Amino acid sequence: MDVSQQLADYAAANAAEVLERPTPVELDTGLLAAYDTTPVDADEYKAALEPHLLALTLTSTQALLAGLFSLPTKSSEHGPVAQLADPTFVLPREKPLPKPKPLTKWERFANAKGISHVKKDKKVWDDERQEWVARWGRDGKNKDAEDQWLHEVKNNGSDPTIDPRATAKAERKARTEKNAKQHARNLAEAAASPLSTLDRKPTAGTASQGEKANARSIRKAELDRGMLVSKVSTASLGRFDKSIEGEPRVKGIKRKFETNLGDHASEKASAMDVLNRLGTAERKRAPKKGGSGVEGGVNTRKAVRYEERAAQLANRRDGKSGGGRGGRGGKSGRGGRK
Amino acid sequence: MRPLTEDETKAVFEKLANYIGKNIVHLIDRDEDDQYCFRLHKDRVYYLPLPMLHLATSVARPNLISLGTCMGKFSKSGKFKLGVTALDWLAKYAKYKVWVKPTGELPFLYGNHVLKAHLGRITEDTPEHQGVVVFSMADVPLGFGATARSTIQTRDLDPAGIVVFHQADVGEYLRDEETMF
């Protein structure tokens, strides 16, 4: 039975429009991705956007599927499974790079002296046991001295009553203690470091020595100020608190005056300046027109009125002798006398 | 002894301006060979010529009692009070003056206010509450004070009315001898 005709018909019916690509489609089967680097045909893109995009997608998808089928397969209970190659595309990092850790005191010292430090392995070879054992910790090699079943007492005049096991353990504990202390100090220094607390520079590496010193001095001043404030933050404003020995004295603001025998010209100039400003202030403070103290201290309006009243009074007197008007004149006369 | 700060200078000038007004300029801006300056010593303000200042620098602070002309003193609260010792300068540059009759000289020198009855002469246009220098009729400065009335108002005043409020007089040289210096 020849089905080639039917197959050809089926293929013709389902034939997808695969575009011709000048540069082949790149595949990254590890990420199940296909990259079509051929530039987009502007005319096609403008003429019919949707069909063109569809055709592009189809081309890339077909290339990817073809690539997948060319991969080596492995049989499984679900049928053959393609083995994907390792991804070749390098994805950018999601998170920013970690900040450099602050150096410990020893690291700083080693850097300054140019000491190259090789990190010790965690395991050491034990010749007696013929195996690698931990340098410290559980069954650590550092406990050999205290764990031995027999302790040799050297004949060098040392006290035989001293328990060598306890001594060895105490020494080991002291070393641990010292290291814990140093670690704590390193942590504290890193926390108090101006770069971590003040955030003046984003990274420790870029801050110059001067900037670091400056930030440190700022931090120190802040701490000093905080200490002073907290000292007087009691009910008695620190008056009845015990003073601690060796504590720095609180320094107030010192008054500063001009030198006694300084430049006389400048002193004169400043005095004149004060005087000029005094003048403007006086002018501002002076009463408004019509009030007392205007025009050489004479209130002209009042003076004129006074004179008028006096004249009226004189008039009335004259009028009274002649039998003229009286009532109004009397009133005005009283006003004039005040 | 030190120069005045700006605030202190302002306080002093404000008080002086009450008596001599714009004439303060003559206190500050003087001839090249007759320079004067203000200095503060033990809360007192002194007005002294420059050569005297140079001489005074060689006197230790506790030993220096007074120098130049004492203009007045600063109170503890920072207010400036003019002293009678400044009278010579005030009299020289005074803007408003009051002359008292010989009968009124003694009452004023005992620390009393100047009454209308004792008023000999007064500068024209003197306003109310103006700082004035009090003179005897022979033009001898006796003290200073502040007017209670303006010149015009004094005309209507009865003889017992106060014309000038007493502030300082030369009688203090005797009365306050202990505390003056």
Side-chain angles (χ1 to χ4, degrees):
Chain A
M1 186 181 171
D2 186 17
V3 293
S4 59
Q5 182 58 38
Q6 287 173 330
L7 278 175
D9 288 346
Y10 180 81
N14 291 289
E17 212 178 318
V18 176
L19 301 176
E20 285 287 320
R21 311 309 287 163
T23 51
V25 175
E26 283 172 31
L27 294 181
D28 188 355
T29 51
L31 294 170
L32 291 179
Y35 307 105
D36 189 354
T37 52
T38 312
V40 176
D41 189 353
D43 295 338
E44 281 279 340
Y45 189 83
K46 270 182 192 162
L49 178 64
E50 289 290 330
H52 182 62
L53 285 179
L54 206 60
L56 278 175
T57 317
L58 196 71
T59 313
S60 302
T61 315
Q62 280 221 339
L64 178 62
L65 287 175
L68 286 180
F69 277 104
S70 69
L71 289 173
T73 57
K74 207 170 76 176
S75 64
S76 75
E77 55 186 25
H78 303 295
V81 173
Q83 283 179 308
L84 300 178
D86 286 336
T88 54
F89 187 79
V90 183
L91 280 168
R93 189 188 168 86
E94 184 194 2
K95 295 217 158 62
L97 280 172
K99 282 176 187 165
K101 274 186 184 173
L103 298 178
T104 63
K105 193 168 185 181
W106 157 250
E107 280 167 345
R108 266 181 276 136
F109 176 74
N111 282 348
K113 290 281 176 185
I115 303 166
S116 59
H117 168 66
V118 181
K119 215 169 182 186
K120 282 178 189 165
D121 281 333
K122 224 180 160 185
K123 298 260 184 179
V124 282
W125 179 253
D126 192 335
D127 255 346
E128 285 174 18
R129 278 184 269 176
Q130 286 295 307
E131 59 176 0
W132 291 92
V133 294
R135 194 185 287 273
W136 72 87
R138 191 176 176 226
D139 300 331
K141 190 113 174 71
N142 60 345
K143 284 189 265 307
D144 277 359
E146 60 201 68
D147 284 346
Q148 56 191 333
W149 64 279
L150 181 70
H151 289 272
E152 186 188 351
V153 177
K154 280 178 183 151
N155 191 16
N156 56 3
S158 55
D159 189 359
T161 58
I162 288 172
D163 183 0
R165 185 191 171 90
T167 318
K169 187 170 182 181
E171 276 172 8
R172 179 171 62 80
K173 286 283 176 198
R175 281 197 302 274
T176 319
E177 192 71 16
K178 186 189 170 205
N179 189 42
K181 236 171 162 176
Q182 287 178 336
H183 178 58
R185 188 193 57 202
N186 279 329
L187 284 184
E189 274 183 12
S193 135
L195 299 158
S196 63
T197 49
L198 294 182
D199 248 2
R200 286 179 205 289
K201 277 274 173 184
T203 53
T206 53
S208 74
Q209 204 67 31
E211 279 167 343
K212 276 182 197 166
N214 189 30
R216 182 170 276 262
S217 69
I218 290 169
R219 174 81 185 147
K220 187 167 182 286
E222 270 175 17
L223 283 176
D224 282 348
R225 209 186 122 61
M227 200 184 76
L228 282 180
V229 169
S230 66
K231 252 183 86 176
V232 294
S233 299
T234 59
S236 64
L237 299 177
R239 193 172 173 179
F240 299 109
D241 294 356
K242 258 186 196 164
S243 63
I244 302 162
E245 204 176 315
E247 211 171 48
R249 265 187 56 221
V250 182
K251 283 179 195 158
I253 299 163
K254 205 162 185 195
R255 294 187 304 171
K256 251 199 158 171
F257 300 116
E258 298 288 315
T259 51
N260 200 9
L261 292 175
D263 181 19
H264 184 64
S266 70
E267 192 187 321
K268 206 159 90 174
S270 68
M272 286 301 281
D273 186 42
V274 169
L275 187 61
N276 288 337
R277 270 182 286 145
L278 202 69
T280 57
E282 251 178 12
R283 254 178 270 133
K284 270 182 199 164
R285 213 174 37 201
K288 283 183 193 127
K289 218 169 190 174
S292 64
V294 187
E295 291 287 319
V298 176
N299 185 343
T300 29
R301 197 159 50 93
K302 200 171 174 183
V304 167
R305 202 171 63 221
Y306 182 85
E307 288 303 314
E308 279 175 353
R309 292 280 159 87
Q312 276 177 359
L313 195 68
N315 262 345
R316 198 194 58 169
R317 279 195 193 122
D318 294 347
K320 241 186 188 167
S321 63
R325 56 189 208 265
R328 220 186 67 190
K331 202 176 179 186
S332 63
R334 206 166 61 218
R337 203 171 277 285
K338 73 174 170 185
Chain B
M1 187 171 52
R2 63 168 175 84
L4 306 184
T5 64
E6 200 174 308
D7 289 343
E8 286 164 348
T9 312
K10 199 171 164 232
V12 172
F13 285 180
E14 268 176 356
K15 273 287 157 71
L16 284 176
N18 200 19
Y19 295 90
I20 61 180
K22 293 274 180 209
N23 290 337
I24 305 179
V25 178
H26 302 306
L27 290 180
I28 306 161
D29 198 11
R30 299 176 72 91
D31 291 338
E32 202 57 46
D33 52 350
D34 189 30
Q35 299 276 22
Y36 272 68
C37 63
F38 286 95
R39 284 291 180 273
L40 189 89
H41 177 65
K42 288 181 183 169
D43 275 348
R44 283 170 203 273
V45 176
Y46 294 97
Y47 183 61
L48 63 156
L50 273 192
M52 188 187 280
L53 171 71
H54 287 100
L55 290 173
T57 48
S58 55
V59 181
R61 198 180 296 175
N63 301 342
L64 187 63
I65 292 168
S66 176
L67 72 163
T69 309
C70 179
M71 281 297 192
K73 64 180 193 177
F74 277 101
S75 69
K76 298 283 183 216
S77 59
K79 286 184 187 125
F80 180 68
K81 205 178 164 203
L82 269 176
V84 72
T85 41
L87 183 64
D88 283 350
W89 288 109
L90 292 185
K92 190 173 177 188
Y93 294 114
K95 213 170 158 192
Y96 298 101
K97 299 177 182 179
V98 167
W99 287 264
V100 292
K101 290 173 184 164
T103 49
E105 278 176 24
L106 220 49
F108 180 72
L109 292 180
Y110 279 127
N112 296 315
H113 303 305
V114 177
L115 305 178
K116 167 79 186 297
H118 298 145
L119 185 68
R121 267 202 298 165
I122 185 165
T123 313
E124 286 280 318
D125 317 332
T126 310
E128 217 172 338
H129 309 309
Q130 166 70 42
V132 286
V133 178
V134 179
F135 289 85
S136 70
M137 289 312 273
D139 261 351
V140 178
L142 298 176
F144 52 87
T147 52
R149 306 282 152 84
S150 66
T151 307
I152 301 163
Q153 282 170 327
T154 52
R155 285 179 194 164
D156 291 344
L157 210 60
D158 56 328
I162 295 167
V163 177
V164 177
F165 292 119
H166 168 273
Q167 277 177 339
D169 65 83
V170 288
E172 282 173 27
Y173 282 111
L174 292 177
R175 277 181 278 134
D176 301 333
E177 204 179 352
E178 294 92 29
T179 55
M180 189 165 254
F181 300 107

